[in-house]
Structure formats: structure tokens, C-alpha cells
Amino acid sequence: MVVGVVCQELLYREALESLLRTQSWIEFMPSANEPRVALSQYAKQTPEVIILMEESLGDEEWSMFSALKTLTGVKGILLTKIGSSNSRLEANVDAIHRREDGATVLFQLVRDVSRRSTRQGFFVSELGSRYGQRPHLTSREMEVANLIAQGLPNRRIGVIMGLQEQSVKNLVSIVMRKLGCENRVQVALKLSGGVRTSSSPSSNGDE
């Protein structure tokens, strides 16, 4: 089982990494210490479970994690302190671990959340069955396609993926061409299984 950690506190992160490595059934996926960079790395190579330290994450990082969870089905465990409560953050993860609860509880949570059903690969497999063949999209292009389907503008997609806006525009054009779509609305319809219509409004640029 592949597990990643998003934690800005270096010493705590190293301690958590060492703890995870004591379990033979866990493969730790290294990443940058800076949460935003770590989430961008996990978007490219996604672990099965991500452990997130609450104090290390701001609104931008939580938005990135939410998008990653939607796209890949990755499971999230929130590390927090006893007495801490944030319903918005807790709603975005699959389990809560109070740091005072200890390693045994954490290991059990990792096992439990990893066994739950996942949406990983949903759009790829569903597109293949709905349209007769699997579209030849790279993993990055599929990530862009899913973000388009969520109605996100190029600028926001760039923030989530760690790309320049012009790079996003180029990827959007490639995705539309490969999926045979004329605009962003048709991309969303195609991914959701809707019928493509010529009357859909054109919105190729940043919105």
C-alpha cells in the first residue's frame, strides 16, 4: 500500500515517515516538504492514501487536495489535535486521527480507508465503454479534462497542477481535439456521458 504525507513541519514529518516505514505493508512515497508542491507531486503520481497535517494546510492546499480526491479517488486521513474541530476540513477526508491516539490507531485507519471503494480511473474506463474506444489521453491530459468538467478556468487549473496558464491553454486545446469537442461545455458533457450538441456555447479561453 502506497502512502504519502503532506506536512510542513520537517521534524514531525520525518518522525511520521520513520513510523510508516516500520510497517512492511506500507510503501512510503516521498515528496517535497512544502504542502502545495507535495500535492502537485501527488497529482502526477498518486498514492492510495494521503496523511495530511491540519496545521500545515491553508485554503489553497485544501482546494488542491479536494480536486485531487475528486480526480483520483485518493483517500485522506486528517492528522489533528484533541479538541480541534473544523467541519469543513473533516468533510473532505475519509478519517480523522488525533495525534495523541498513537501509532496503532493510525495504522488501522490507513488499512480501513484503503479498503474502501475508489473512483480512481473512473473517467478513463467509462469513456472507453461509452464511446467504443478509450481516448488516447495522457494522465496529465485526463487530469486537465476532469478539471475542465468541474467548470474550472485555466488560471485555477494552473494553480492546482502547478503549470503556467499558457501551458494549461495548450493542454486544453489538445484535450478538446482528442475528444472531438469544440468547447469546454462539450468536454464536460462527454465526461459525464451527456450528448454532444452543436448548440453548446463556445468557451475555449480562460473564463
Side-chain angles (χ1 to χ4, degrees):
M1 179 187 308
V2 183
V3 178
V5 172
V6 175
C7 175
Q8 197 162 12
E9 292 183 24
L10 180 59
L11 291 179
Y12 190 85
R13 185 178 185 279
E14 289 178 344
L16 185 57
E17 176 181 346
S18 297
L19 184 66
L20 294 171
R21 290 187 187 278
T22 64
Q23 305 300 300
S24 59
W25 52 277
I26 292 179
E27 178 184 348
F28 181 77
M29 182 181 290
S31 70
N33 291 329
E34 206 282 313
R36 193 171 305 179
V37 178
L39 288 166
S40 295
Q41 292 176 338
Y42 289 152
K44 298 171 185 175
Q45 187 176 7
T46 311
E48 296 172 65
V49 178
I50 297 179
I51 299 173
L52 308 108
M53 177 180 262
E54 180 179 0
E55 300 95 310
S56 298
L57 306 173
D59 290 341
E60 189 69 39
E61 289 78 16
W62 277 109
S63 294
M64 292 176 68
F65 173 73
S66 296
L68 181 61
K69 184 175 176 63
T70 299
L71 289 169
T72 67
V74 64
K75 302 304 179 184
I77 297 176
L78 180 65
L79 280 182
T80 187
K81 297 178 180 178
I82 291 179
S84 175
S85 178
N86 188 319
S87 58
R88 182 178 66 83
L89 300 185
E90 294 180 2
N92 286 333
V93 296
D94 300 277
I96 309 294
H97 181 261
R98 312 297 176 185
R99 283 187 277 173
E100 293 83 355
D101 289 343
T104 302
V105 175
L106 177 61
F107 294 148
Q108 188 59 50
L109 284 177
V110 172
R111 286 186 185 276
D112 289 345
V113 300
S114 68
R115 290 170 181 163
R116 298 176 190 172
S117 61
T118 176
R119 289 180 59 195
Q120 188 167 5
F122 170 79
F123 286 129
V124 176
S125 60
E126 288 297 306
L127 275 170
S129 62
R130 287 172 182 162
Y131 294 95
Q133 60 180 1
R134 179 173 296 183
H136 299 293
L137 296 183
T138 67
S139 58
R140 175 162 289 193
E141 290 164 0
M142 184 58 71
E143 184 176 356
V144 169
N146 280 284
L147 291 172
I148 292 172
Q150 294 178 46
L152 300 182
N154 291 344
R155 188 174 297 107
R156 182 67 175 167
I157 293 174
V159 171
I160 293 172
M161 298 184 63
L163 297 174
Q164 296 295 321
E165 189 172 351
Q166 185 57 51
S167 298
V168 174
K169 288 181 179 179
N170 294 338
L171 283 167
V172 169
S173 296
I174 292 170
V175 167
M176 288 183 182
R177 185 180 72 250
K178 287 187 175 182
L179 293 181
C181 296
E182 298 175 0
N183 54 57
R184 302 167 82 97
V185 173
Q186 290 179 1
V187 172
L189 287 172
K190 200 157 205 177
L191 292 187
S192 64
V195 178
R196 180 182 174 188
T197 63
S198 58
S199 60
S200 298
S202 176
S203 55
N204 289 316
D206 191 17
E207 300 171 348

